Amino acid sequence: MNADRLFMLVDTCANIDEVKHEFPDLDFLTYFYALLGYYCIPTIKLYNETKIDENTLNGILNGKIQPQRDDLIQMSLVLNIDLKKTNFMLSLAECESLSYKESRDSLIICAIKNHYSINKTNITIFYLSKFLKAVESINLIRFNWLTSLAPGS
């Protein structure tokens, strides 16, 4: 497999079908090992830096366990790959791509774009989700107060 061509297609193509047209046998595991080889990342780094259970990670890397979305996101953070490659990997594993429509996903996208570690990403999600909930409750209070002043209420 020509990894240069594969990653060029992932970066430039609009969807997974265009890449699969040129690489019809491409699956998650093949793509993932191509990433590891292309970026010269030893698998031990995944064991050391992800929060994925060792047995689960073994199963994923051996193709015996279907990876979960959060596992793949952790792996992409360790690999330090961009958003297109991350979403392509999620698609190959039949997981939902990251989207700005979801607040948690938006924070993960920000982490990927800024090359955050897993720990920094988790801390960011924790504190910003608390902040967003606080802002949301303020808006609800403001909305309730405004509607209570409406005529006929």
Side-chain angles (χ1 to χ4, degrees), residues 9 26 29 43 56-57 62-63 80 96 109 124 136 142 145:
L9 282 173
L26 186 65
L29 212 51
T43 54
T56 301
L57 188 54
N62 293 327
N80 201 19
E96 191 176 328
I109 291 169
T124 301
E136 187 177 283
R142 186 178 308 137
W145 178 76

Side-chain angles (χ1 to χ4, degrees), residues 16-143:
I16 191 171
D17 295 329
E18 293 177 47
V19 179
K20 294 277 273 184
H21 178 74
E22 189 158 334
F23 294 94
D25 297 328
L26 186 65
D27 61 4
F28 160 72
L29 212 51
T30 306
Y31 179 74
F32 185 73
Y33 277 109
L35 284 168
L36 287 176
Y38 188 78
Y39 292 107
C40 301
I41 298 169
T43 54
I44 191 72
K45 187 171 182 172
L46 295 169
Y47 289 96
N48 292 338
E49 295 183 26
T50 66
K51 311 290 185 215
I52 304 169
D53 173 72
E54 186 177 340
N55 291 329
T56 301
L57 188 54
N58 281 334
I60 292 170
L61 296 176
N62 293 327
K64 294 178 181 170
I65 294 177
Q66 178 70 19
Q68 299 296 309
R69 186 173 189 255
D70 283 347
D71 297 337
L72 294 172
I73 291 168
Q74 286 186 64
M75 294 162 92
S76 75
L77 288 166
V78 170
L79 295 173
N80 201 19
I81 57 176
D82 63 31
L83 183 59
K84 278 197 169 198
K85 288 179 183 72
T86 299
N87 276 337
F88 189 78
M89 181 170 63
L90 289 166
S91 296
L92 284 174
E94 299 177 1
C95 295
E96 191 176 328
S97 296
L98 292 167
S99 166
Y100 284 107
K101 293 178 185 176
E102 300 293 325
S103 59
R104 179 177 181 267
D105 282 7
S106 294
L107 296 172
I108 292 168
I109 291 169
C110 176
I112 289 170
K113 288 186 173 193
N114 289 290
H115 309 287
Y116 287 5
S117 68
I118 290 174
N119 286 337
K120 187 171 183 177
T121 302
N122 285 336
I123 290 167
T124 301
I125 290 170
F126 176 77
Y127 285 110
L128 286 178
S129 63
K130 282 185 167 241
F131 172 76
L132 291 174
K133 285 181 184 175
V135 169
E136 187 177 283
S137 68
I138 290 169
N139 284 333
L140 286 174
I141 292 167
R142 186 178 308 137
F143 176 76

